[in-house]
């Protein structure tokens, strides 16, 4: 098991103060994404679990109705198989430093299911898929490029908030196919050279498996970009990113397949924001558009000043 992280993430303490006038557009956009296009979180019931056992959690998820919240208790546990979610529900821990899930899925299992620790197969409606209040760690150190959390299918209101991704060997969160939404108030800290967030979700207006145009991002590239709107964007905001490894810098994210990303109000130490084109993704198109503003970049890597930001 990796060594525990500090009680406070000192690298995330540098976020600049933003006055309420500047923050007003942020508040309005979140309301638009998560308040006006719904019912968004039409929560029916709350299932309060008393166990972190994989089988107990999976059974509760399988029994949950759309919009229901499955709430896990505080504690630390090791999961050795992936959690599969096939509905638009909310999965909540007791808090980012209270409910700790350690990924110890064997390499062969990753290769067989290619779905990470939590594979979320979203459904085509506006009921919110929300993940909140967890800390995720890796027991093993192999790099297989599977994301811990994977959103697939079609849901424009996915939400990841109040989570810590601590020293993962690979990617923290993947937005794929037609999954959109917001990732906010999360903390990513690592000593490993790995992207923290993958934005591969260029499917606009829905996603059908094996639909080449959507899968490749052709539809996104043929659709004009309207900046300042909420449609078809991933919002990454009010998060902390910190890298303290041997390569001087690592990447906050990667993007391709026509994805559109808003990146704002974040604190970043020794990391870069990046989009990929077709140079590394083959037939799949690169990222389509991004809005990047009001972030605070720090580079304090020894021997590599003022680079990588």
């Amino acid at each position: 098991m990796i060594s525990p992280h500090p009680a406070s993430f000192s690298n995330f303490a540098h976020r600049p103060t933003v006055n309420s006038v500047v923050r007003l557009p942020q508040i309005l956009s979140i309301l638009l994404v998560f308040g006006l296009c719904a019912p968004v979180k039409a929560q029916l019931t709350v299932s309060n679990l008393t166990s972190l056992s994989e089988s107990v959690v999976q059974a509760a998820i399988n029994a949950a109705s759309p919009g229901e919240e499955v709430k896990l208790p505080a504690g630390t546990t090791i999961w050795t198989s992936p959690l599969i979610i096939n509905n638009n529900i909310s999965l909540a821990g007791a808090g980012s430093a209270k409910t700790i899930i350690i990924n110890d899925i064997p390499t062969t299992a990753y290769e067989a299911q290619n779905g990470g620790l939590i594979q979320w197969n979203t459904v085509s409606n506006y009921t919110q898929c929300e993940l909140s209040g967890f800390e995720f760690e890796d027991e093993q150190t192999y790099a297989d490029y599977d994301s811990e959390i994977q959103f697939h299918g079609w849901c424009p209101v996915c939400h990841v908030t109040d989570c810590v991704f601590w020293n993962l060997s690979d990617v923290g969160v993947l937005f794929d196919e037609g999954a959109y939404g917001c990732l906010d108030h999360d903390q990513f800290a690592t000593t490993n050279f790995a992207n923290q967030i993958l934005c591969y979700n260029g499917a606009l207006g829905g996603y059908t498996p094996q639909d080449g145009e959507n899968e490749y991002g052709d539809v996104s590239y043929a659709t004009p970009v309207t900046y300042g709107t909420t449609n078809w964007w991933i919002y990454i905001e009010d998060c902390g990113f910190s890298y303290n490894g041997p390569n001087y810098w690592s990447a906050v994210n990667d993007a391709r397949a026509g994805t559109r990303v808003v990146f704002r109000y974040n604190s970043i130490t020794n990391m870069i924001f990046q989009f990929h084109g077709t140079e590394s993704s083959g037939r799949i198109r690169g990222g389509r558009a991004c809005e990047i503003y009001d972030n605070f970049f720090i580079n304090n890597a020894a021997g590599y000043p003022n680079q990588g930001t």
Side-chain angles (χ1 to χ4, degrees), residues 121-137:
N121 301 307
T122 67
V123 182
S124 300
N125 60 43
Y126 282 86
T127 302
Q128 182 172 322
C129 298
E130 182 174 82
L131 181 73
S132 64
F134 288 94
E135 178 172 319
F136 297 100
E137 302 179 5

Side-chain angles (χ1 to χ4, degrees), residues 171-242:
V171 180
V173 181
L174 164 69
F175 290 91
D176 196 20
E177 300 172 343
Y180 295 84
C182 184
L183 192 152
D184 66 271
H185 297 94
D186 300 302
Q187 298 174 346
F188 297 79
T190 185
T191 60
N192 298 307
F193 189 77
N195 299 312
Q196 301 302 295
I197 303 168
L198 298 182
C199 305
Y200 292 174
N201 63 332
L204 306 187
Y207 176 82
T208 302
Q210 309 306 316
D211 177 359
E213 289 187 350
N214 256 325
E215 181 180 8
Y216 295 140
D218 293 359
V219 174
S220 178
Y221 263 82
T223 303
V225 176
T226 305
Y227 293 95
T229 64
T230 59
N231 292 337
W232 303 323
W233 295 84
I234 297 173
Y235 290 82
I236 303 172
E237 56 191 21
D238 286 304
C239 293
F241 299 89
S242 179

Side-chain angles (χ1 to χ4, degrees), residues 137-308:
E137 302 179 5
D138 278 344
E139 178 73 10
Q140 303 189 44
T141 58
Y142 54 80
D144 49 31
Y145 219 68
D146 272 315
S147 306
E148 296 282 308
I149 315 300
Q150 299 193 4
F151 290 100
H152 301 280
W154 165 247
C155 178
V157 281
C158 299
H159 190 203
V160 180
T161 186
D162 187 31
C163 289
V164 171
F165 299 86
W166 172 246
N167 211 38
L168 302 182
S169 299
D170 281 308
V171 180
V173 181
L174 164 69
F175 290 91
D176 196 20
E177 300 172 343
Y180 295 84
C182 184
L183 192 152
D184 66 271
H185 297 94
D186 300 302
Q187 298 174 346
F188 297 79
T190 185
T191 60
N192 298 307
F193 189 77
N195 299 312
Q196 301 302 295
I197 303 168
L198 298 182
C199 305
Y200 292 174
N201 63 332
L204 306 187
Y207 176 82
T208 302
Q210 309 306 316
D211 177 359
E213 289 187 350
N214 256 325
E215 181 180 8
Y216 295 140
D218 293 359
V219 174
S220 178
Y221 263 82
T223 303
V225 176
T226 305
Y227 293 95
T229 64
T230 59
N231 292 337
W232 303 323
W233 295 84
I234 297 173
Y235 290 82
I236 303 172
E237 56 191 21
D238 286 304
C239 293
F241 299 89
S242 179
Y243 171 71
N244 185 23
N247 295 300
Y248 300 121
W249 58 267
S250 186
V252 166
N253 70 301
D254 194 5
R256 67 181 189 188
T259 194
R260 307 171 185 212
V261 179
V262 176
F263 188 76
R264 58 188 181 180
Y265 313 130
N266 301 293
S267 294
I268 306 98
T269 300
N270 297 333
M271 283 188 160
I272 65 168
F273 179 95
Q274 68 173 352
F275 261 37
H276 264 105
T278 57
E279 80 288 347
S280 63
S281 302
R283 171 64 178 86
I284 300 173
R285 291 179 178 267
R288 178 68 170 90
C290 55
E291 294 187 42
I292 308 172
Y293 56 88
D294 287 339
N295 300 289
F296 192 64
F297 287 88
I298 303 169
N299 188 293
N300 56 19
Y304 204 54
N306 302 318
Q307 300 293 319

Side-chain angles (χ1 to χ4, degrees), residues 35-178:
L36 300 181
C37 58
V40 173
K41 194 176 181 182
Q43 186 170 301
L44 303 177
T45 57
V46 176
S47 297
N48 290 293
L49 306 185
T50 58
S51 171
L52 292 175
S53 164
E54 293 174 79
S55 60
V56 171
V57 175
Q58 185 68 71
I61 287 172
N62 294 344
S65 301
E68 184 172 335
E69 181 179 85
V70 177
K71 190 167 186 178
L72 278 60
T76 300
T77 190
I78 297 176
W79 286 356
T80 57
S81 59
L83 189 73
I84 308 298
I85 305 176
N86 293 319
N87 212 337
N88 293 18
I89 64 171
S90 294
L91 183 65
S96 58
K98 297 178 181 179
T99 302
I100 301 173
I101 309 298
I102 300 173
N103 183 350
D104 194 20
I105 301 176
T107 305
T108 53
Y110 265 118
E111 293 170 347
Q113 53 87 30
N114 194 35
L117 181 67
I118 299 178
Q119 180 176 324
W120 208 314
N121 301 307
T122 67
V123 182
S124 300
N125 60 43
Y126 282 86
T127 302
Q128 182 172 322
C129 298
E130 182 174 82
L131 181 73
S132 64
F134 288 94
E135 178 172 319
F136 297 100
E137 302 179 5
D138 278 344
E139 178 73 10
Q140 303 189 44
T141 58
Y142 54 80
D144 49 31
Y145 219 68
D146 272 315
S147 306
E148 296 282 308
I149 315 300
Q150 299 193 4
F151 290 100
H152 301 280
W154 165 247
C155 178
V157 281
C158 299
H159 190 203
V160 180
T161 186
D162 187 31
C163 289
V164 171
F165 299 86
W166 172 246
N167 211 38
L168 302 182
S169 299
D170 281 308
V171 180
V173 181
L174 164 69
F175 290 91
D176 196 20
E177 300 172 343

